[in-house]
Amino acid sequence: MNILAIAAIAENTVRDAVRNKVLYILLFFALVLIGASFLLATLSYVERERILQDVALASIRMFGAAIAIFIGVSLVHREVDRRTIFTILSKPVSRADFLVGKYLGLVTTLWLQLAIMSAGFVFVSWSMDAPLNGGHAVALVATALELAVLVALATLFSSFATPFLAACYSVGLYVVGHITRDIRALGEIAESTTAKTLTVWIHRIFPDLESFNWTIEAVHGLPIPPEEVAWSFVMGIGWCIGFLTVAVVVFERRDFR
């Protein structure tokens, strides 16, 4: 791979994403909802700090996922629609370099947005004297890795599908990824052996996005097992590499004419 080409495409992707109005709209609503958690907390007489942090962290995860999916699905289509991809690929840049550069550029953009939302979370927590601990840092870092997985998913679908279909596929897998544990739990109490086997394989095949959700442990000050965090990070990196590898294979065979 051409590292310089990847870095140049990633830098250009960040600049292009920063000019996207959808990004600012979603970021605005995320910050508004984080700020609204302050109001919701004041309406309660008990556990104000926990309500504030629970709503704020949920807002960060929800809007982060929305930004990852709705900007990621148009990563390739925009270049094809503008026909700028022909100019890029006419230079010593492989399709793999192009796709990886696009991915890294959007992940960088998302992590910058996440840093802004995290700053808003720290500010409202500080305003309500809500305690902050290492669990909150783990929850935010895990959210960053979940966003990287979602961008890899969106990149995979954008390599062969239209933005609408890619968004449908990404949202569908996002929902499934958050309920695979519940599906497996239902299968364990089922009487049918087929149902048990099927639910186990659903949990194994689809990405377990709930493994990145440490909100409850962070808000309630519960212990977070380091080995589970490490394993979720290993899986997250593996999913990113796996989705990107498939995306590159599909993208290499795509005919743009």
Side-chain angles (χ1 to χ4, degrees), residues 13 67-77 95-107 110 147-162 166-167 169-170 173 239-251 254:
T13 302
I67 294 172
I69 292 174
F70 288 104
I71 295 183
V73 294
S74 58
L75 267 182
V76 177
H77 179 78
R95 294 192 179 196
D97 295 338
F98 171 80
L99 213 56
V100 173
K102 282 286 181 183
Y103 169 78
L104 293 178
L106 185 53
V107 169
L110 277 169
L147 296 182
V149 174
L150 287 177
V151 174
L153 258 179
T155 303
L156 168 60
F157 293 133
S158 71
S159 66
F160 65 87
T162 63
Y169 298 151
S170 300
L173 272 182
W239 282 324
C240 290
I241 295 174
F243 291 143
L244 280 180
T245 301
V246 177
V248 168
V249 172
V250 173
F251 196 59
R254 183 172 174 182

Side-chain angles (χ1 to χ4, degrees), residues 149-217:
V149 174
L150 287 177
V151 174
L153 258 179
T155 303
L156 168 60
F157 293 133
S158 71
S159 66
F160 65 87
T162 63
F164 176 75
L165 290 177
C168 292
Y169 298 151
S170 300
V171 171
L173 272 182
Y174 175 75
V175 174
V176 172
H178 277 284
I179 62 174
T180 53
R181 289 189 178 187
D182 297 329
I183 293 175
R184 180 172 182 171
L186 288 174
E188 290 174 351
I189 61 175
E191 296 181 357
S192 170
T193 306
T194 304
K196 289 182 180 179
T197 305
L198 181 62
T199 53
V200 167
W201 277 104
I202 289 175
H203 182 255
R204 289 178 179 175
I205 293 174
F206 291 97
D208 181 13
L209 298 180
E210 233 0 77
S211 63
F212 302 114
N213 185 5
W214 296 101
T215 300
I216 294 177
E217 288 79 2

